[in-house]
Amino acid sequence: GFIGVMFSLTRVSDAHCVHIVGELVLPQSMNVLEMFKDTLNLLYLSKQHNLDLLDVVMPALERKVIEDQLKMMIGSYNEPLVRHALITFFTPKKKRERKN
């Protein structure tokens, strides 16, 4: 159709609440062109919100992919992988003699 409503969902405890963000109108005549400007603004804000979410979602998704690959390589683990420098000490069996 030519009209619609944009909703947002918010989780509150065990329920989801619906909030009306705004109305969407595609004009059929020049008389409602002003309402179409509001629709364009709302669509732009929605797109910007989704792009902002990418900054949060993509790093988390990439971490998940890396963790899954690590689990396949080393088996499942409950703690995050902590990298420690491995230090090995060797005790010489023979003493070295200095040449004068």
Side-chain angles (χ1 to χ4, degrees):
F2 295 99
I3 59 172
V5 180
M6 184 179 288
F7 297 99
S8 71
L9 292 173
T10 306
R11 185 174 183 174
V12 179
S13 299
D14 294 335
H16 289 85
C17 295
V18 176
H19 172 73
I20 296 175
V21 176
E23 296 86 19
L24 304 170
V25 176
L26 290 176
Q28 293 179 312
S29 70
M30 297 297 283
N31 298 329
V32 290
L33 197 55
E34 188 65 33
M35 294 179 81
F36 184 60
K37 284 175 51 178
D38 295 338
T39 295
L40 290 176
N41 287 334
L42 186 59
L43 291 173
Y44 174 77
L45 290 173
S46 174
K47 179 182 178 182
Q48 192 60 45
H49 173 71
N50 289 334
L51 291 174
D52 292 341
L53 283 178
L54 277 177
D55 294 337
V56 175
V57 172
M58 289 308 293
L61 181 62
E62 289 173 8
R63 277 194 303 274
K64 175 77 169 114
V65 169
I66 290 170
E67 287 176 1
D68 289 346
Q69 289 174 349
L70 286 171
K71 284 180 186 177
M72 286 176 38
M73 287 175 47
I74 60 175
S76 64
Y77 59 92
N78 295 327
E79 298 178 6
L81 190 60
V82 178
R83 305 206 187 286
H84 295 285
L86 298 176
I87 301 173
T88 305
F89 294 99
F90 292 99
T91 305
K93 301 216 183 224
K94 294 182 181 179
K95 290 186 179 179
R96 293 186 180 184
E97 295 180 14
R98 287 188 175 186
K99 292 183 179 179
N100 291 341

